[in-house]
Amino acid sequence: MSSSIFILDFMKQLTFVSNLIKLFDIGRHKTRVAAVSFSTNATVEFHLDEYYDQKDVRDHVETIRYTGGVTNTDDALNLVKNSVLTSEHGVRSNVLHVVIVITDGRSQNSPDTRTKAKALKDSGIFMFAIGVGPYVDDQELEDIASAPSENFMFTIADYDALLSIKNTLALRVCKAGRPGSQRQIDAE
């Protein structure tokens, strides 16, 4: 979650994430959630092995603090790879791994963002990219998103529109790991 946005829009982003979590069955042996916020710095808000109850996860999402700054998407992706999606923090080898990036701007370092996103995708992680507003770089979103990007990328006009993609995103996340689903993922 990028925080190079206004506080009101940041709160809408947190509400979206909280509402998205409602659509998943959260638990120790079910869906696990971690959160990373990013602006000038990237921060692990919580790891996959910290909360196994949906209410706890949502409560902790809602306490993420707003910090303004620049958009260091590459740092966030690096943190996800090296600190979040690790066995020491609850990652399981026998389940689908999904990263959802929400941003409203261009990364400060597009080449590194592209490289870090590719490394995550090459390791078998499905990457969703959500671009909000007029300042996103469509090419960068495509570089972040898994292929085919039209199935893993969303561009929306503003933060109010996040809720309009919630159900579609949840469905695509669930379909991402199914054999043959890449071609049919957007048929819902």
Side-chain angles (χ1 to χ4, degrees):
M1 296 180 290
S2 170
S3 58
S4 62
I5 57 178
F6 294 112
I7 186 74
L8 255 152
D9 287 334
F10 183 75
M11 298 309 292
K12 290 175 188 175
Q13 186 175 219
L14 294 181
T15 298
F16 167 74
V17 171
S18 182
N19 286 329
L20 182 64
I21 290 167
K22 283 183 189 178
L23 300 176
F24 293 93
D25 195 8
I26 306 297
R28 182 177 301 276
H29 302 291
K30 300 175 182 178
T31 301
R32 295 182 184 181
V33 178
V36 171
S37 61
F38 64 100
S39 59
T40 302
N41 298 305
T43 303
V44 177
E45 299 294 343
F46 54 90
H47 286 95
L48 294 167
D49 60 352
E50 287 188 56
Y51 306 108
Y52 299 115
D53 176 79
Q54 188 180 94
K55 183 177 179 341
D56 288 343
V57 173
R58 292 179 58 234
D59 285 349
H60 283 83
V61 164
E62 293 170 9
T63 65
I64 295 173
R65 295 174 111 23
Y66 172 80
T67 56
V70 296
T71 307
N72 280 324
T73 313
D74 58 317
D75 287 348
L77 295 176
N78 190 55
L79 195 59
V80 166
K81 184 171 188 340
N82 295 318
S83 183
V84 174
L85 294 176
T86 63
S87 58
E88 66 200 65
H89 288 295
V91 77
R92 297 169 290 173
S93 61
N94 60 338
V95 298
L96 174 71
H97 298 105
V98 173
V99 172
I100 301 170
V101 177
I102 305 171
T103 186
D104 68 344
R106 292 176 175 86
S107 173
Q108 293 298 300
N109 190 336
S110 285
D112 276 358
T113 295
R114 184 179 313 110
T115 300
K116 303 262 188 316
K118 182 178 183 328
L120 284 164
K121 292 183 287 189
D122 287 349
S123 70
I125 295 163
F126 290 94
M127 301 282 294
F128 286 86
I130 302 172
V132 182
Y135 303 112
V136 296
D137 180 338
D138 287 342
Q139 182 59 57
E140 185 173 85
L141 292 176
E142 284 184 41
D143 292 340
I144 293 170
S146 291
S149 62
E150 62 269 10
N151 295 340
F152 292 89
M153 185 175 113
F154 296 84
T155 53
I156 56 176
D158 55 39
Y159 283 94
D160 290 324
L162 276 172
L163 291 178
S164 71
I165 67 167
K166 177 185 68 164
N167 292 334
T168 302
L169 175 61
L171 187 59
R172 289 183 184 183
V173 165
C174 291
K175 288 182 173 183
R178 293 185 184 156
S181 66
Q182 277 23 51
R183 291 178 301 281
Q184 299 172 356
I185 203 167
D186 63 343
E188 71 281 339

